[in-house]
Amino acid sequence: MKILVAGGAGYIGTHTCVSLLQSGHQVIVVDSLANSRIENIQRVQDITGKRVEFIESDVRDRASLNAIFSKNRIDAVINFAGHKAVGDSVNKPLDYYDNNLNCAISLLECMVSNNVKVMVFSSSAAVYAQSAEPPITENTRTEPMSPYGRTKLYIEEMLRDVSRADKSWKVVILRYFNPVGAHPSGLIGEQSTGVPSNLLPTITRVAAGDQEMLNVFGNDYDTRDGTAIRDYIHVMDLARGHVQAIQKLEALSEGRVLTVNLGTGKGYSVLEILKTFETVCGRKVPFNCVNRREGDMACCYADPGLAKVELDWESELGMDEMCKDAWNWQVQSIHLS
Ligand code: UD1
């Protein structure tokens, strides 16, 4: 299939492009490069030995999008376009609403104009209520805590409304848990702008000596070792989930919106990751237990059962690979930048 990947130069987008190309699909990336780099596209080509057509443009630019649709017979669209830093969204809500919602509206309008009504949307476990008891199923109550999470939920609802109004749409919504790691080549990975706030990028930074200590946010949670538990998922597993979703779309009945969690179903505590990282990577990570971070919950992991049934997908890579590939990326990215 020929797939338009909006926001395809970013972290999850580049890994998904690798998986799509390796599965025999053709890929056209449209990305403004506001939060990513053009070199990423070359690296996707280097990894796969296949060509990526790249258009530098803001997805909100309808003229440019329409030109892409009219020049190509696009079979499906994957939408990664949007800002994704949860903390940042609290400080700059309008940026998030403007960018994330308008990218989605622009894409959907151009898709309608060009009669392409097949989409995979990149959503997040951030749509679920913080008070929800794990394992989180797709029917767990939604109540996002942040503007970022709300943009994801609103776009989901937009897709459901669009599909209700026109039954020829086929949509898969993927709700990611905590994506981590990188392609094993170390050529692509997550490029944080500024100091990272997520756990694994912070661990690799401390291990590299760029930061003195890891602050462990809270060791008094009601969990097995007192630290908070999350469902970390290797970005290559996540990428494969998109390929499965694309395949599933062909068989999906029209007008159906399929919403699926992508997680491993296994929870790891902060200290468990730290120990795994030290063992796998042979590096010490000094840490310090500090107060809980505001807004964090004790424990969150997916029920990944529906992904198995609907997408024939389950995670394959464990915490060892997540740590190894995150570290490899940290080491390589110093040479690449
Ligand atoms: C957040 C987002 C999620 C997003 C993910 C990765 C929410 C509800 N979820 O998840 O949508 O996919 O980021 O971008 O906002 N921790 C430390 N020390 C650190 C950093 C983190 O102890 O320096 C702890 C946190 O307290 C938390 C765990 O590590 O318990 C994971 O944190 P983080 O990587 O930031 O992800 P989430 O907040 O779970």
Side-chain angles (χ1 to χ4, degrees):
M1 288 170 91
K2 194 179 247 191
I3 297 157
L4 179 71
V5 185
Y11 176 42
I12 299 169
T14 46
H15 291 81
T16 299
C17 286
V18 167
S19 291
L20 288 168
L21 290 164
Q22 287 176 337
S23 305
H25 296 291
Q26 284 172 272
V27 165
I28 303 176
V29 170
V30 50
D31 197 303
S32 67
L33 300 180
N35 198 22
S36 54
R37 298 197 200 149
I38 183 70
E39 298 90 286
N40 297 347
I41 299 296
Q42 184 56 49
R43 291 181 197 154
V44 169
Q45 297 185 139
D46 292 345
I47 291 168
T48 58
K50 302 206 170 143
R51 192 176 158 271
V52 174
E53 192 176 327
F54 176 70
I55 295 105
E56 182 177 345
S57 173
D58 191 310
V59 174
R60 289 170 292 185
D61 177 347
R62 287 163 173 77
S64 156
L65 261 191
N66 274 319
I68 301 169
F69 277 103
S70 41
K71 266 196 237 131
N72 297 278
R73 209 188 60 79
I74 309 273
D75 297 299
V77 174
I78 306 183
N79 182 15
F80 294 107
H83 297 328
K84 59 161 197 178
V86 178
D88 202 33
S89 79
V90 176
N91 299 322
K92 293 188 267 174
L94 289 178
D95 275 7
Y96 276 69
Y97 288 117
D98 175 24
N99 188 59
N100 296 7
L101 298 184
N102 285 316
C103 280
I105 293 170
S106 167
L107 256 182
L108 290 170
E109 282 180 354
C110 293
M111 288 174 75
V112 170
S113 308
N114 293 280
N115 204 29
V116 178
K117 296 179 181 174
V118 180
M119 173 175 268
V120 175
F121 175 58
S122 158
S123 189
S124 168
V127 300
Y128 292 116
Q130 298 277 307
S131 55
E133 275 293 309
I136 309 287
T137 74
E138 291 76 2
N139 295 322
T140 295
R141 195 162 59 84
T142 53
E143 188 186 41
M145 281 263 294
S146 64
Y148 162 76
R150 276 187 279 279
T151 65
K152 291 292 180 189
L153 189 59
Y154 297 159
I155 296 168
E156 286 194 6
E157 293 299 356
M158 212 188 285
L159 289 165
R160 292 189 189 99
D161 285 336
V162 164
S163 305
R164 263 191 287 269
D166 175 351
K167 297 277 187 286
S168 57
W169 277 87
K170 295 179 177 193
V171 177
V172 177
I173 293 169
L174 300 175
R175 290 177 174 162
Y176 316 146
F177 280 67
N178 288 48
V180 294
H183 188 268
S185 65
L187 287 173
I188 52 172
E190 185 163 24
Q191 285 156 335
S192 309
T193 43
V195 178
S197 61
N198 292 125
L199 180 63
L200 204 51
T202 308
I203 290 179
T204 60
R205 215 175 116 80
V206 174
D210 295 339
Q211 183 173 322
E212 205 186 331
M213 304 240 167
L214 170 78
N215 285 322
V216 174
F217 297 137
N219 63 350
D220 57 351
Y221 285 107
D222 184 15
T223 58
R224 45 190 178 258
D225 61 17
T227 64
I229 290 174
R230 295 288 182 276
D231 186 337
Y232 298 90
I233 172 167
H234 196 295
V235 66
M236 288 313 299
D237 271 338
L238 206 58
R240 197 168 41 79
H242 294 75
V243 177
Q244 292 299 102
I246 286 288
Q247 249 133 38
K248 170 74 187 181
L249 276 165
E250 291 193 74
L252 200 71
S253 49
E254 294 198 336
R256 175 137 187 247
V257 177
L258 177 63
T259 306
V260 182
N261 284 339
L262 290 184
T264 64
K266 294 184 201 85
Y268 277 85
S269 76
V270 174
L271 290 181
E272 285 166 350
I273 295 189
L274 201 67
K275 294 297 158 217
T276 307
F277 182 89
E278 290 188 334
T279 309
V280 172
C281 303
R283 288 265 172 160
K284 277 276 157 214
V285 180
F287 71 95
N288 191 21
C289 293
V290 299
N291 287 339
R292 294 178 181 192
R293 186 171 66 178
E294 204 186 324
D296 275 353
M297 62 206 141
C299 182
C300 174
Y301 57 89
D303 176 340
L306 191 69
K308 173 82 181 134
V309 173
E310 291 282 6
L311 304 182
D312 192 23
W313 175 92
E314 54 191 338
S315 66
E316 288 172 359
L317 302 166
M319 188 48 71
D320 284 14
E321 281 101 344
M322 297 185 216
C323 289
K324 183 163 70 65
D325 292 333
W327 178 235
N328 188 31
W329 163 243
Q330 168 81 34
V331 173
Q332 297 262 51
S333 60
I334 295 166
H335 307 299
L336 290 169
S337 56

